[in-house]
Amino acid sequence: MKTASKALSAMTMVKEALEKAHKYQEDYHIFNFINDVDAIKKAAEIDEKIKNDETVGRLAGVPYALKDNFLSPEGGTTASAHILEEFTSPVTSTVVAKLEAEGAIMIGRTNLDAFAHGSSTENSYYGPTKNSKDLERVAGGSSGGSAVAVALDIVPFATGSDTGGSIRQPAAFNGVYGLKPTYGALSRYGVVAMGSSTDCMGFFTRDPEDLDLLMEITAGQDPKDLTTLPDFYGQNHEFDDPIKKIGIIRDFDNDAVDSEVRAALARKVEELRAAGHEIVELDMPALKYALAAYYIIVPAEVASNLSRHDGIRYAFRSADSNTLSELYENTRNEGFMPENKRRIMIGNFVLSSGFYDAYYLKAAKARTLIIDEYNKAFEKCDLILAPVSPNPAFKLGEKVNDPVAMYLEDVMSVPLNLAGLPGLAIPVGETKDGLSLGLQLVGPRRSDQSIIRFAKQMCCDQPHEDHHADLSGVSTVEGGEE
């Protein structure tokens, strides 16, 4: 990740990123907003500091893309939803504030499924983002725009949010690295809430090395988010021992998984075994409850979080209303996408009198079983290697009208969110049709840096295309290299 210097100006890097953003926008529909004016202004300010030998941050002049559910005043924050179309945030999210304090420059806000509800970025009010390898296929979701912005080399990194796979799945679909940190590692403050007990902020990069720096900068306790953990990134030596045992989940190896995904997993397992790692096969039967539990717990939280959008406090308000009741009803009917309404209805149903015990309480108990199952698994292995999704990127329109088929895309990603575990999507090649394939590395809570280190080791241990970012001039976490 190149930073600004006297030899390479911030203006040069930002103008190049903006040029690429405009170049790819029409075909791929990556951005909801391109930040031309403010980005150029900030680049000029950084160059002036460098010229005057003033101190600049560790990300000085680095252009990045911001998922459009992170609040900041630049460009408004829509979450790709009609109901927030005219909303301009009065606050800046903690993650954005930390990145920009180090000199990073936001060049655009990326498209997503409205309110992050989806696995394909087809549920956006502004239309779908296209896959970086095939314009007829989905980018994945909900952070599809961010994944494609990095995959097409518009920016070296982009932010994402992961509530049930929304960083890892689009990363796998576009051949980039996508990190979902431990729940609470990064602040949720200033990000449009989806599922408050599962939302995680994270990043896309083309190189695991860059993730180390981004986590060092953004991880840590935030008084504005009481779910954040005490600082542990780069300080927790519990996971410093070499990773020897890699777990493989037997329950994920079945005919419901695409043959090329299974083959990619088998190849990676053999590479790890040849490198001297012990492969441990795991039986984790409680994971079969994960998808059902997730689509009870998260819609319940969605229904609560979206109740604030009533046509009174935020941007969009229906004009065709004569009473307060009509205002609420019409605003929400016009402002929400069909998937938003579906999740609100599911959430209100499972929380309603007479159904709470039958659905929500059972889902909460299943969540505890899943957490226990992972704890037992990590007594047998150091990390787990698994598919991110049962399929490579599917065609646009193929599943958008079949909610069950779309939800099944999350079957391998949602268990981590329920358990609060870190997961890193890693690229592992392509299908015979040239589509990207990805797997995920999963570790115990707070093992984020160990996962990134192991991904760096895997990256160095095998031949690959020289498409990684240049980290010259950028500090790394002490002891973070192997």
Side-chain angles (χ1 to χ4, degrees), residues 40 215 220 274 310 316 416 420 436:
I40 292 293
M215 284 294 290
D310 54 11
F316 175 74
L416 274 67
S436 296

Side-chain angles (χ1 to χ4, degrees), residues 84-378:
L84 288 178
E85 189 174 10
E86 301 299 325
F87 176 65
T88 300
S89 173
V91 302
T92 298
S93 82
T94 296
V95 169
V96 171
K98 287 183 175 183
L99 292 172
E100 299 197 351
E102 295 288 347
I105 298 175
M106 188 268 282
I107 62 102
R109 292 181 161 276
T110 56
N111 195 25
L112 63 146
D113 292 288
F115 288 105
H117 300 172
S119 304
S120 64
T121 314
E122 292 175 283
N123 294 319
S124 169
Y125 176 67
Y126 303 105
T129 296
K130 312 294 179 60
N131 186 278
S132 60
K133 297 291 181 69
D134 186 341
L135 290 170
E136 295 183 358
R137 294 184 181 266
V138 301
S142 63
S143 310
S146 288
V148 175
V150 173
L152 294 177
D153 197 21
I154 297 172
V155 288
F157 79 92
T159 67
S161 59
D162 191 312
T163 305
S166 289
I167 290 175
R168 290 162 287 143
Q169 187 241 36
F173 280 8
N174 291 280
V176 296
Y177 290 87
L179 176 68
K180 171 226 171 295
T182 297
Y183 180 78
L186 271 64
S187 175
R188 296 179 297 118
Y189 176 77
V191 182
V192 178
M194 180 182 165
S196 299
S197 73
T198 53
D199 286 348
C200 290
M201 307 309 113
F203 302 101
F204 297 89
T205 66
R206 291 187 300 280
D207 189 322
E209 184 105 21
D210 293 348
L211 292 170
D212 231 346
L213 177 62
L214 294 170
M215 284 294 290
E216 183 187 4
I217 289 169
T218 56
Q221 201 157 25
D222 180 7
K224 296 176 181 177
D225 178 3
L226 297 182
T227 66
T228 48
L229 297 169
D231 295 358
F232 69 86
Y233 194 85
Q235 302 175 22
N236 191 337
H237 301 289
E238 182 181 348
F239 303 100
D240 281 354
D241 292 336
I243 292 168
K244 299 175 182 178
K245 297 181 180 180
I246 309 298
I248 305 298
I249 303 173
R250 257 196 283 242
D251 308 78
F252 283 170
D253 188 13
N254 56 62
D255 291 340
V257 182
D258 181 88
S259 60
E260 292 190 88
V261 173
R262 294 173 72 185
L265 177 60
R267 285 194 302 270
K268 189 58 63 177
V269 166
E270 288 309 310
E271 289 175 11
L272 290 169
R273 187 177 278 121
H277 297 284
E278 180 182 346
I279 304 301
V280 180
E281 293 192 355
L282 303 169
D283 289 310
M284 302 182 70
L287 295 190
K288 66 176 176 285
Y289 304 122
L291 193 66
Y294 177 88
Y295 277 104
I296 291 172
I297 292 169
V298 170
E301 296 178 2
V302 164
S304 176
N305 282 323
L306 291 188
S307 65
R308 71 193 70 181
H309 301 283
D310 54 11
I312 303 295
R313 289 169 286 186
Y314 296 96
F316 175 74
R317 177 182 296 185
S318 174
D320 187 24
S321 305
N322 297 313
T323 67
L324 185 62
S325 178
E326 285 183 1
L327 175 63
Y328 289 161
E329 180 180 351
N330 293 339
T331 296
R332 291 164 69 81
N333 183 49
E334 296 169 29
F336 288 136
M337 299 288 288
E339 183 60 29
N340 306 142
K341 298 174 187 177
R342 185 178 295 116
R343 297 191 187 203
I344 291 170
M345 289 189 287
I346 293 171
N348 284 326
F349 176 77
V350 300
L351 290 176
S352 61
S353 177
F355 294 101
Y356 178 89
D357 288 350
Y359 293 101
Y360 188 85
L361 188 59
K362 285 185 178 178
K365 291 178 179 178
R367 184 179 197 171
T368 300
L369 291 177
I370 291 163
I371 293 169
D372 289 344
E373 194 117 283
Y374 273 113
N375 289 338
K376 292 175 184 176
F378 288 121

Side-chain angles (χ1 to χ4, degrees), residues 427-447:
V428 292
E430 297 181 346
T431 69
K432 62 180 185 300
D433 295 326
L435 301 175
S436 296
L437 289 169
L439 300 173
Q440 59 182 333
L441 291 168
V442 183
R445 286 172 61 82
R446 308 189 192 208
S447 66

